[in-house]
PDB file of all heavy atoms in Angstrom:
ATOM      1  N   LYS A 749     103.166  94.499  67.997  1.00  0.00           N
ATOM      2  CA  LYS A 749     103.249  94.594  69.456  1.00  0.00           C
ATOM      3  C   LYS A 749     101.887  94.257  70.049  1.00  0.00           C
ATOM      4  O   LYS A 749     100.862  94.518  69.451  1.00  0.00           O
ATOM      5  CB  LYS A 749     103.610  96.022  69.872  1.00  0.00           C
ATOM      6  CG  LYS A 749     105.064  96.327  69.739  1.00  0.00           C
ATOM      7  CD  LYS A 749     105.331  97.713  70.311  1.00  0.00           C
ATOM      8  CE  LYS A 749     106.708  98.187  69.907  1.00  0.00           C
ATOM      9  NZ  LYS A 749     106.902  99.587  70.155  1.00  0.00           N
ATOM     10  N   ASP A 750     101.918  93.711  71.246  1.00  0.00           N
ATOM     11  CA  ASP A 750     100.653  93.428  71.899  1.00  0.00           C
ATOM     12  C   ASP A 750     100.214  94.645  72.669  1.00  0.00           C
ATOM     13  O   ASP A 750     100.977  95.227  73.425  1.00  0.00           O
ATOM     14  CB  ASP A 750     100.821  92.255  72.854  1.00  0.00           C
ATOM     15  CG  ASP A 750     101.041  90.981  72.086  1.00  0.00           C
ATOM     16  OD1 ASP A 750     100.303  90.778  71.113  1.00  0.00           O
ATOM     17  OD2 ASP A 750     101.958  90.223  72.427  1.00  0.00           O
ATOM     18  N   LYS A 751      98.977  94.984  72.466  1.00  0.00           N
ATOM     19  CA  LYS A 751      98.445  96.124  73.197  1.00  0.00           C
ATOM     20  C   LYS A 751      97.317  95.622  74.080  1.00  0.00           C
ATOM     21  O   LYS A 751      96.451  94.889  73.638  1.00  0.00           O
ATOM     22  CB  LYS A 751      97.901  97.179  72.228  1.00  0.00           C
ATOM     23  CG  LYS A 751      98.916  98.210  71.851  1.00  0.00           C
ATOM     24  CD  LYS A 751      98.314  99.549  71.457  1.00  0.00           C
ATOM     25  CE  LYS A 751      96.969  99.493  70.763  1.00  0.00           C
ATOM     26  NZ  LYS A 751      96.784 100.571  69.808  1.00  0.00           N
ATOM     27  N   ALA A 752      97.333  96.003  75.319  1.00  0.00           N
ATOM     28  CA  ALA A 752      96.275  95.579  76.216  1.00  0.00           C
ATOM     29  C   ALA A 752      95.454  96.788  76.614  1.00  0.00           C
ATOM     30  O   ALA A 752      95.997  97.823  76.969  1.00  0.00           O
ATOM     31  CB  ALA A 752      96.874  94.931  77.450  1.00  0.00           C
ATOM     32  N   LEU A 753      94.155  96.661  76.524  1.00  0.00           N
ATOM     33  CA  LEU A 753      93.265  97.752  76.889  1.00  0.00           C
ATOM     34  C   LEU A 753      92.267  97.231  77.901  1.00  0.00           C
ATOM     35  O   LEU A 753      91.687  96.167  77.707  1.00  0.00           O
ATOM     36  CB  LEU A 753      92.480  98.240  75.667  1.00  0.00           C
ATOM     37  CG  LEU A 753      93.242  99.020  74.619  1.00  0.00           C
ATOM     38  CD1 LEU A 753      92.364  99.258  73.403  1.00  0.00           C
ATOM     39  CD2 LEU A 753      93.706 100.336  75.197  1.00  0.00           C
ATOM     40  N   GLY A 754      92.064  97.967  78.961  1.00  0.00           N
ATOM     41  CA  GLY A 754      91.022  97.598  79.899  1.00  0.00           C
ATOM     42  C   GLY A 754      91.523  97.431  81.309  1.00  0.00           C
ATOM     43  O   GLY A 754      92.632  97.826  81.652  1.00  0.00           O
ATOM     44  N   ASP A 755      90.671  96.830  82.130  1.00  0.00           N
ATOM     45  CA  ASP A 755      90.941  96.609  83.537  1.00  0.00           C
ATOM     46  C   ASP A 755      92.065  95.580  83.668  1.00  0.00           C
ATOM     47  O   ASP A 755      91.981  94.492  83.101  1.00  0.00           O
ATOM     48  CB  ASP A 755      89.633  96.111  84.162  1.00  0.00           C
ATOM     49  CG  ASP A 755      89.798  95.777  85.630  1.00  0.00           C
ATOM     50  OD1 ASP A 755      90.901  95.930  86.150  1.00  0.00           O
ATOM     51  OD2 ASP A 755      88.799  95.347  86.233  1.00  0.00           O
ATOM     52  N   PRO A 756      93.112  95.903  84.415  1.00  0.00           N
ATOM     53  CA  PRO A 756      94.244  94.968  84.546  1.00  0.00           C
ATOM     54  C   PRO A 756      93.827  93.580  85.033  1.00  0.00           C
ATOM     55  O   PRO A 756      94.420  92.578  84.619  1.00  0.00           O
ATOM     56  CB  PRO A 756      95.143  95.655  85.575  1.00  0.00           C
ATOM     57  CG  PRO A 756      94.843  97.096  85.429  1.00  0.00           C
ATOM     58  CD  PRO A 756      93.385  97.183  85.091  1.00  0.00           C
ATOM     59  N   THR A 757      92.831  93.519  85.891  1.00  0.00           N
ATOM     60  CA  THR A 757      92.341  92.212  86.349  1.00  0.00           C
ATOM     61  C   THR A 757      91.885  91.396  85.149  1.00  0.00           C
ATOM     62  O   THR A 757      92.173  90.202  85.015  1.00  0.00           O
ATOM     63  CB  THR A 757      91.137  92.405  87.289  1.00  0.00           C
ATOM     64  OG1 THR A 757      91.538  93.238  88.360  1.00  0.00           O
ATOM     65  CG2 THR A 757      90.625  91.091  87.820  1.00  0.00           C
ATOM     66  N   GLU A 758      91.168  92.049  84.268  1.00  0.00           N
ATOM     67  CA  GLU A 758      90.603  91.351  83.128  1.00  0.00           C
ATOM     68  C   GLU A 758      91.663  91.042  82.084  1.00  0.00           C
ATOM     69  O   GLU A 758      91.648  89.987  81.461  1.00  0.00           O
ATOM     70  CB  GLU A 758      89.468  92.187  82.533  1.00  0.00           C
ATOM     71  CG  GLU A 758      88.381  92.444  83.571  1.00  0.00           C
ATOM     72  CD  GLU A 758      87.032  92.742  82.968  1.00  0.00           C
ATOM     73  OE1 GLU A 758      87.004  93.410  81.921  1.00  0.00           O
ATOM     74  OE2 GLU A 758      86.021  92.291  83.537  1.00  0.00           O
ATOM     75  N   ILE A 759      92.604  91.961  81.931  1.00  0.00           N
ATOM     76  CA  ILE A 759      93.706  91.704  80.994  1.00  0.00           C
ATOM     77  C   ILE A 759      94.441  90.441  81.422  1.00  0.00           C
ATOM     78  O   ILE A 759      94.740  89.563  80.612  1.00  0.00           O
ATOM     79  CB  ILE A 759      94.681  92.902  80.963  1.00  0.00           C
ATOM     80  CG1 ILE A 759      93.973  94.111  80.354  1.00  0.00           C
ATOM     81  CG2 ILE A 759      95.936  92.558  80.179  1.00  0.00           C
ATOM     82  CD1 ILE A 759      94.773  95.392  80.428  1.00  0.00           C
ATOM     83  N   ALA A 760      94.696  90.336  82.740  1.00  0.00           N
ATOM     84  CA  ALA A 760      95.420  89.177  83.251  1.00  0.00           C
ATOM     85  C   ALA A 760      94.697  87.889  82.887  1.00  0.00           C
ATOM     86  O   ALA A 760      95.324  86.883  82.530  1.00  0.00           O
ATOM     87  CB  ALA A 760      95.580  89.293  84.762  1.00  0.00           C
ATOM     88  N   LEU A 761      93.391  87.922  82.937  1.00  0.00           N
ATOM     89  CA  LEU A 761      92.616  86.716  82.639  1.00  0.00           C
ATOM     90  C   LEU A 761      92.685  86.378  81.153  1.00  0.00           C
ATOM     91  O   LEU A 761      92.819  85.216  80.771  1.00  0.00           O
ATOM     92  CB  LEU A 761      91.157  86.913  83.076  1.00  0.00           C
ATOM     93  CG  LEU A 761      90.968  87.021  84.590  1.00  0.00           C
ATOM     94  CD1 LEU A 761      89.567  87.473  84.941  1.00  0.00           C
ATOM     95  CD2 LEU A 761      91.293  85.683  85.257  1.00  0.00           C
TER      96      LEU A 761
END
Side-chain angles (χ1 to χ4, degrees):
K749 280 186 193 167
D750 290 315
K751 268 207 327 212
L753 288 172
D755 177 0
T757 303
E758 301 204 323
I759 293 173
L761 293 169

